[in-house]
């Protein structure tokens, strides 16, 4: 509640918060659109493989010529991070390997990291966050994206004395979506391929939203940040509107769909037969909480909360998330308060690569949202026990074995370069955090 006041003080002192943005895509552009309207916040460096595209993005979101001329555009991320008076590095590339590299460079240079790149966070975030804490800088999830917004709601619930029953987000889901490929994705968005292309929409990225991969990645990030558990059999995606959250997302013995209390889950905005859910939560986030006593349950009723029939379970939710338009909250929280807007404290959730069809030895995997695999949420301990290949490493690797449709791809099924830095980082994370369910601050349970 004090970020604007603190930022005004920095601006008045002539010490603006300075940000290096890596990746001027949609998320980055939305963030850039707010910069001219936030006195005391500056982005002197923008790092993108296509510098001309990055400049055009700035023009598109309303930057004037003077601001653009005063900005350094570069494709050399390591050099830009190491040099210059930068307070916060925003990593918004979406590439896991690149994201890990940039985060470590920022930490080594004593810069705070806001990790928009949730793919990198799920692959190695617990290790990166620990390295940042040891270096005295902040590693943070990105406010505006659903993991940080959900983590905030979980923190609110716990800080006010409630037990968290479930937390997560909404999305559009049908079981058949797991096998959708980029070739057929646009019909599910009500678009033609030509319309999507003219809008600059990436079919593989949007397919990762549809086929369940992005949901799995985001729920793993929430579990790792909050200590909530991961469903043992993967996400259920129950159809559910906001009014039914406390009824459906409660334990089975209480009449709900959850195996137990204290888990992450995603709700679908459409019924299994394709009908729209009434008052869906497709764009939002939620937390279901349990009253600790009869008095609190009575208060739920008195103040109009939607509850289950018992009156003991209630829900709070945000109907929308504004991704990059809200990113300032993370940037300013790190720079002005030395606090993250969510960060992993343990390794509870992992995302395994699962075959979209029968795959043959010699084929090359094409990663999130592609033609070969989708990402399934698994408890980290189960993923490690199965030797499951993380979805973040299922890029441009060749299969050694045939994989049946719907089967988990394992490390032993692919040709992996053990000397690759991303692979080594992932293995280091597993070694550091894979032996126990909780470490450090994450021992505070639901």
């Amino acid at each position: 509640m004090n970020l604007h006041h603190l930022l005004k003080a920095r601006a008045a002192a002539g010490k603006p918060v300075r940000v290096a943005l890596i990746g001027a895509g949609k998320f980055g552009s939305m963030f850039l659109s707010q910069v001219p309207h936030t006195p005391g916040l500056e982005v002197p460096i923008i790092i993108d493989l296509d510098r001309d595209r990055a400049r055009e993005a700035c023009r598109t979101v309303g930057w004037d010529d003077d601001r653009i001329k005063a900005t350094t555009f570069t494709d050399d991320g390591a050099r830009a991070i190491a040099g210059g008076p930068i307070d916060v590095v925003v990593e918004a590339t979406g590439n896991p390997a690149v994201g890990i590299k940039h985060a470590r460079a920022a930490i080594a240079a004593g810069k705070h990291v806001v990790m928009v790149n949730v793919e990198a966070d799920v692959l190695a975030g617990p290790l990166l966050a620990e390295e940042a804490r040891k270096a005295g800088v902040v590693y943070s999830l990105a406010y505006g994206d659903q993991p940080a917004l959900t983590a905030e709601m979980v923190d609110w619930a716990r800080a006010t004395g409630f037990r968290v029953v479930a937390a997560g987000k909404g999305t559009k889901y049908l079981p058949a979506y797991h096998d959708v490929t980029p070739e057929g994705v646009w019909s599910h968005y009500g678009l033609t391929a030509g319309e999507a292309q003219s809008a600059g929409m990436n079919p593989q990225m949007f397919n990762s939203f549809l086929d369940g991969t992005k949901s799995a990645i985001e729920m793993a990030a929430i579990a790792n940040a909050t200590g909530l558990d991961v469903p043992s059999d993967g996400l259920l995606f129950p159809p559910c509107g906001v009014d039914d959250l406390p009824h459906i997302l409660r334990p089975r013995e209480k009449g709900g769909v959850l195996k137990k209390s204290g888990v992450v889950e995603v709700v679908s905005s459409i019924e299994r037969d394709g009908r729209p859910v009434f008052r869906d939560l497709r764009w939002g986030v939620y937390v279901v909480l349990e009253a600790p006593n009869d008095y609190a349950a009575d208060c739920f009723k008195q103040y109009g909360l939607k509850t289950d029939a018992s009156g003991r379970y209630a829900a709070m939710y945000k109907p929308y998330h504004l991704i990059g338009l809200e990113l300032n909250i993370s940037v300013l929280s790190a720079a002005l308060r030395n606090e993250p807007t969510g960060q992993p404290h343990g390794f509870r959730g992992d995302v395994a690569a699962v075959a979209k069809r029968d795959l043959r030895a010699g084929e090359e995997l094409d990663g999130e949202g592609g033609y070969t695999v989708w990402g399934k949420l698994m408890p980290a301990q189960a993923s490690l026990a199965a030797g499951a290949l993380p979805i973040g490493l299922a890029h441009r690797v060749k299969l050694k074995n045939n994989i049946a449709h719907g089967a988990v791809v394992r490390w032993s099924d692919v040709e992996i370069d053990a000397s690759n830095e991303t692979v080594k980082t992932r293995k280091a994370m597993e070694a550091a955090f894979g032996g126990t369910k909780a470490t450090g601050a994450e021992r505070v349970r639901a």
Side-chain angles (χ1 to χ4, degrees):
M1 294 183 185
N2 296 310
L3 288 177
H4 185 236
H5 173 77
L6 295 172
L7 183 61
K8 286 176 65 178
R10 280 283 293 261
K15 297 180 180 179
V17 174
R18 291 156 300 196
V19 179
L21 171 66
I22 310 177
K26 181 61 173 177
F27 201 117
S29 293
M30 293 176 78
F31 165 64
L32 292 173
S33 75
Q34 300 302 99
V35 172
H37 310 289
T38 313
L41 179 67
E42 295 181 357
V43 182
I45 298 173
I46 297 177
I47 303 156
D48 196 284
L49 293 176
D50 189 336
R51 288 173 288 179
D52 291 336
R53 186 195 70 162
R55 287 190 185 89
E56 187 57 34
C58 290
R59 293 189 184 93
T60 298
V61 302
W63 280 30
D64 59 30
D65 289 341
D66 289 340
R67 186 179 294 272
I68 293 174
K69 288 177 182 177
T71 303
T72 298
F73 294 86
T74 179
D75 58 5
D76 190 339
R79 179 176 296 180
I81 291 169
I86 296 297
D87 301 298
V88 181
V89 174
V90 172
E91 216 299 335
T93 66
N95 183 306
V98 171
I100 291 169
K101 179 181 177 181
H102 286 152
R104 282 187 146 165
I107 293 167
K111 320 291 187 187
H112 302 304
V113 180
V114 174
M115 186 61 93
V116 176
N117 189 339
V118 69
E119 292 82 3
D121 178 77
V122 169
L123 191 61
L127 183 66
L128 298 176
E130 183 66 19
E131 290 176 355
R133 286 190 287 269
K134 289 179 179 178
V137 295
V138 171
Y139 173 96
S140 178
L141 298 178
Y143 200 90
D145 222 353
Q146 287 159 309
L149 296 180
T150 306
E152 178 186 51
M153 297 191 79
V154 169
D155 186 65
W156 165 84
R158 288 171 171 166
T160 49
F162 294 111
R163 183 185 183 195
V164 174
V165 178
K169 70 165 194 171
T171 194
K172 181 181 179 182
Y173 171 84
L174 289 174
Y177 289 171
H178 290 311
D179 293 338
V180 175
T181 69
E183 185 177 9
V185 67
W186 297 127
S187 64
H188 298 289
Y189 285 95
L191 298 169
T192 67
E195 289 170 338
Q197 184 177 10
S198 65
M201 300 167 71
N202 182 312
Q204 186 156 342
M205 181 181 71
F206 276 83
N207 197 43
S208 74
F209 302 156
L210 187 77
D211 71 8
T213 301
K214 192 71 168 182
S215 291
I217 288 172
E218 292 185 333
M219 292 306 103
I222 293 168
N224 293 340
T226 64
L228 290 170
D229 284 331
V230 166
S232 59
D233 298 325
L235 293 169
L236 298 173
F237 295 98
C240 183
V242 296
D243 298 328
D244 292 327
L245 287 167
H247 173 74
I248 292 175
L249 293 177
R250 56 182 175 166
R252 289 177 184 172
E253 66 267 20
K254 302 294 184 180
V257 302
L258 304 179
K259 275 192 174 181
K260 63 177 183 178
S261 187
V263 298
V264 295
E265 187 55 79
V266 177
V267 295
S268 177
S269 64
I270 52 176
E271 303 285 354
R272 290 298 190 257
D273 61 5
R275 290 178 296 116
V277 165
F278 178 65
R279 280 171 46 81
D280 69 79
L281 194 66
R282 180 177 178 182
W283 309 107
V285 297
Y286 75 90
V287 61
V288 173
L289 44 97
E290 182 181 1
N293 50 49
D294 291 339
Y295 184 85
D298 288 341
C299 291
F300 287 170
K301 181 178 180 180
Q302 293 160 8
Y303 285 87
L305 271 73
K306 295 286 187 179
T307 68
D308 73 326
S310 75
R312 299 299 292 249
Y313 295 91
M316 296 291 280
Y317 62 90
K318 295 184 73 169
Y320 304 105
H321 69 295
L322 297 178
I323 60 170
L325 297 181
E326 300 182 80
L327 187 62
N328 283 3
I329 301 300
S330 288
V331 170
L332 300 181
S333 182
L336 303 178
R337 298 172 62 174
N338 209 45
E339 289 184 355
T341 50
Q343 69 171 205
H345 291 280
F347 183 36
R348 304 190 70 84
D350 198 14
V351 183
V354 174
K356 287 189 172 183
R357 53 175 173 79
D358 289 339
L359 302 174
R360 300 300 177 192
E363 286 193 67
E364 188 174 80
L365 302 182
D366 58 353
E368 299 125 42
Y371 289 83
T372 57
V373 291
W374 62 277
K376 179 180 179 179
L377 181 66
M378 297 180 67
Q381 294 298 306
S383 174
L384 293 178
L389 179 71
I391 190 69
L393 292 177
H395 296 259
R396 297 179 181 176
V397 291
K398 187 175 292 187
L399 286 172
K400 297 191 295 185
N401 304 316
N402 296 338
I403 308 295
H405 179 205
V408 172
V409 181
R410 293 170 169 78
W411 286 89
S412 58
D413 293 320
V414 296
E415 297 177 0
I416 287 288
D417 179 4
S419 66
N420 178 277
E421 283 301 317
T422 308
V423 173
K424 289 165 65 176
T425 301
R426 167 66 187 206
K427 288 296 187 180
M429 192 275 288
E430 292 180 358
F433 292 88
T436 59
K437 286 191 175 182
T439 60
E442 195 242 355
R443 293 193 179 100
V444 178
R445 291 301 310 276

